[in-house]
Every structure is written in structure tokens, then in C-alpha cells.
């Protein structure tokens, strides 16, 4: 359990830091085609050293995530990764001139409290291996994420960042569940293997496009939603993830508190790119986006309401 929690938190730090580095890099290159699945934008961004460093952190975070998923339930890993939004906000304050308010620092403390509750209440990972229908379903969801990304590219900046972030999180959620369903990477007959590869690629492409325009924190909020709720339910319902005896209430509370605390951070402030020769044009563009920021935050509440 201790190894799993440490790896989960380490993955959150890696992913949260990588998000800001990649955001800075993607905003420094020419805009993409507008599609939510833009491989050309990825290739241009990959020429930036910050983006490459972000890739290295993503790789390290993924390794830590796999280790964590082999030791603790999916809901623990998902909630820990939700803390990446807190990391994103703190790092953005350094690299993107965002000043954190008292409320944001309180939200960071709430996230930590939620993770502490989860750490105290989480049981061993479930022994379920998953049915063929579940594995095929994961592959179908990964394909759907790509389709949604292609359509979402035409949305205004605020909703675009939220939808692409949510799609990206869903893709990464597919990866979380797939890791539990794969016994060998050489089992080419296992649909979960292809779901993992397609879900990870789709999530990465969508997140790159989401960070190119709009708010980093809004995009990451969608990411948190997509990679926590669904995978946690799959782990409990289909894979047998459980809590320590008598502490289910504490696990549920900790999960809700950690995710909610992370999402609260998306309500504050619009990260700004470092000033440059075109800063005036960027300022005018941000002014045109002000009306959209409220729409994105409203959409976050609408998305949260079913849960």
C-alpha cells in the first residue's frame, strides 16, 4: 500500500508539471489546423525543449502509475492523479505568471486531506481479471475519444479546452483500466492491449490540442474528471476493488474531497503566457476570450452535476 501511494503521488507531480511545460511550449508554436486530433501540432511542439522535458516527465509518471495500479485500487490512483491539478496550478504560478489566491491554497490543502483519507481507508487491489466484453468496451471508448476530439476542434476556446480535456482524461482512464487487464504485453489477442495503446495516444493528442488554446486549469479539470470517475467505478464494479473493512465511508469521502478540491482550482484565474513581441495581440485575444471563460466554468458545473 505504501509503495502504491508513493508512486501515485509521484505520478501526479510528474503529470501536473508536464502539463504546464507542454502548455508553454504549444503556445509558442504556430496554431494547428483547429482539429482536436492534430499530429502536426504535436510535431511542432516537440521541437521545444519544454515540451520534450514534459514528455520525459509524462513517461516517468506513466511508469509510476503502472506500479501504483499493481499495488492499490484504481480509485486510489485516480484520486491521487487528480492532485495533478494542484501541481499544475502551483507550477503555473511560477512559469505562466499566475498568482494563486488564498482559496486556491486552501483547495490544495483539501486535496491533501482527501488523499490522506484515501490512504487510511484503501484496501488491496481487486482480483478481478475483466471479461471480454469489458476489454472490447474499453477499445470502443478509445475509438470514441478520437472521434470526439476531431469534432471538438471546432468549438470556441473555453468549451474546446474543457471537452478536449475531458476526452483526454477518458483516454487516460482507458489506460488505467487496461493496465489491470493485461498480464503480458505479448498477448496480442487481448483487446485491452490495443485499448491501452489507442487510449493513451488519443488522450495525449487531445491534451496537446487542449493546451494549445484556452485555460490550462480548465483543460486539466476535464482531464481529472475523465480519468477518475469512470475508472474508479469500473474498478469497484467489475474488478473487485474494495476498501478496508468498515472504512468504505472514509474512502468515498476522501475520493470526493480529493477530486472536488482539485476541480475547485479550475475556477480561479486564467494562466497567461509569458510576455513577448506579440503580447499586445495575445492581450486582445485574451479579451475576446473573457466571455468564454465563464462558459467553461459553467460547463464544469454542468458536467459535475450528475455525480
Amino acid at each position: 500500500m505504501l509503495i502504491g501511494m508513493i508512486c501515485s503521488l509521484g505520478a501526479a507531480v510528474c503529470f501536473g508539471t508536464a502539463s504546464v511545460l507542454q502548455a508553454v511550449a504549444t503556445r509558442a508554436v504556430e496554431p494547428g489546423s483547429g482539429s482536436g486530433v492534430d499530429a502536426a501540432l504535436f510535431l511542432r511542439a516537440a521541437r521545444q525543449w519544454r515540451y520534450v522535458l514534459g514528455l520525459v516527465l509524462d513517461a516517468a509518471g506513466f511508469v509510476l502509475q503502472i506500479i501504483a495500479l499493481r499495488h492499490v485500487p484504481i480509485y486510489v490512483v485516480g484520486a491521487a492523479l487528480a492532485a495533478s491539478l494542484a501541481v499544475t496550478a502551483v507550477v503555473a504560478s511560477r512559469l505562466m505568471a499566475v498568482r494563486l489566491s488564498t482559496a486556491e491554497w486552501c483547495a490544495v490543502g483539501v486535496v491533501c486531506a482527501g488523499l490522506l483519507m484515501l490512504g487510511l481507508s484503501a484496501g488491496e487491489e481487486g482480483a478481478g481479471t475483466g471479461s471480454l466484453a469489458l476489454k472490447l468496451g474499453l477499445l470502443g471508448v478509445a475509438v470514441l475519444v478520437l472521434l470526439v476530439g476531431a469534432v471538438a476542434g471546432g468549438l470556441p476556446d473555453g468549451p474546446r479546452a474543457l471537452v478536449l480535456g475531458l476526452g483526454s482524461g477518458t483516454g487516460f482512464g482507458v489506460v488505467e483500466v487496461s493496465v489491470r487487464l493485461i498480464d503480458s504485453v505479448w498477448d496480442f489477442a487481448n483487446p485491452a492491449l490495443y485499448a491501452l495503446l489507442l487510449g493513451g495516444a488519443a488522450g495525449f493528442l487531445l491534451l496537446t490540442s487542449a493546451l494549445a488554446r484556452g485555460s490550462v486549469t480548465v483543460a486539466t479539470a476535464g482531464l481529472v474528471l475523465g480519468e477518475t470517475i469512470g475508472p474508479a467505478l469500473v474498478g469497484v464494479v467489475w474488478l473487485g476493488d474494495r476498501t478496508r473493512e468498515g472504512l468504505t465511508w472514509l474512502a468515498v469521502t476522501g475520493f470526493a474531497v480529493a477530486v472536488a478540491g482539485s476541480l475547485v482550482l479550475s475556477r480561479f484565474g486564467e494562466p497567461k503566457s509569458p510576455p513577448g513581441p506579440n503580447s499586445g495581440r495575445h492581450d486582445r485575444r485574451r479579451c475576446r476570450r473573457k466571455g468564454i471563460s465563464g462558459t467553461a466554468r459553467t460547463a464544469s458545473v454542468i458536467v459535475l452535476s450528475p455525480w
Side-chain angles (χ1 to χ4, degrees):
M1 288 295 297
L2 181 59
I3 293 176
M5 285 300 300
I6 291 175
C7 289
S8 296
L9 295 175
V13 172
C14 289
F15 289 143
T17 305
S19 293
V20 179
L21 290 172
Q22 289 162 354
V24 174
T26 52
R27 293 182 180 197
V29 300
E30 290 297 321
S33 63
S35 171
V37 184
D38 191 350
L41 175 63
F42 166 72
L43 293 176
R44 289 194 296 274
R47 299 172 185 172
Q48 305 284 322
W49 69 266
R50 290 183 181 87
Y51 199 90
V52 174
L53 179 57
L55 290 178
V56 173
L57 289 173
D58 278 330
F62 182 62
V63 172
L64 291 172
Q65 179 184 359
I66 291 177
I67 297 173
L69 286 167
R70 295 294 183 180
H71 289 82
V72 293
I74 293 177
Y75 65 81
V76 175
V77 179
L81 293 182
S84 66
L85 184 56
V87 177
T88 295
V90 173
V91 177
S93 70
R94 299 293 182 182
L95 298 184
M96 302 184 75
V98 180
R99 185 174 181 177
L100 298 184
S101 67
T102 302
E104 288 178 298
W105 285 115
C106 290
V108 172
V110 167
V111 170
C112 294
L115 293 177
L116 177 60
M117 286 187 277
L118 273 175
L120 294 174
S121 61
E124 298 293 334
E125 64 170 340
T129 57
S131 64
L132 178 60
L134 176 60
K135 297 173 183 178
L136 290 174
L138 287 174
L139 183 57
V141 170
V143 173
L144 182 61
V145 167
L146 277 176
L147 295 178
V148 169
V151 174
L155 295 174
D157 288 357
R160 179 180 188 271
L162 179 63
V163 173
L164 288 177
L166 183 60
S168 175
T170 302
F172 293 137
V174 168
V175 172
E176 289 179 33
V177 179
S178 297
V179 167
R180 289 276 297 273
L181 303 179
I182 298 174
D183 293 324
S184 172
V185 295
W186 306 111
D187 184 8
F188 299 117
N190 188 350
L193 177 62
Y194 302 101
L196 184 150
L197 296 174
L198 184 58
F204 198 80
L205 286 174
L206 265 64
L207 184 59
T208 299
S209 296
L211 295 177
R213 294 185 352 221
S215 169
V216 173
T217 49
V218 167
T220 310
L223 174 71
V224 167
L225 283 173
E227 69 179 355
T228 55
I229 306 296
L233 290 175
V234 172
V236 171
V237 175
W238 282 286
L239 300 180
D241 288 346
R242 294 292 181 266
T243 65
R244 293 182 180 179
E245 187 175 356
L247 293 180
T248 300
W249 66 271
L250 185 61
V252 173
T253 302
F255 181 86
V257 166
V259 174
S262 295
L263 289 172
V264 165
L265 293 172
S266 68
R267 294 170 56 88
F268 300 94
E270 180 78 11
K272 297 178 176 59
S273 300
N278 297 321
S279 59
R281 184 174 60 186
H282 290 172
D283 289 339
R284 290 192 296 272
R285 190 175 302 161
R286 282 197 295 270
C287 289
R288 290 197 297 270
R289 289 207 305 259
K290 281 185 178 178
I292 298 174
S293 298
T295 304
R297 288 193 289 271
T298 302
S300 299
V301 176
I302 294 174
V303 171
L304 274 171
S305 58
W307 295 300

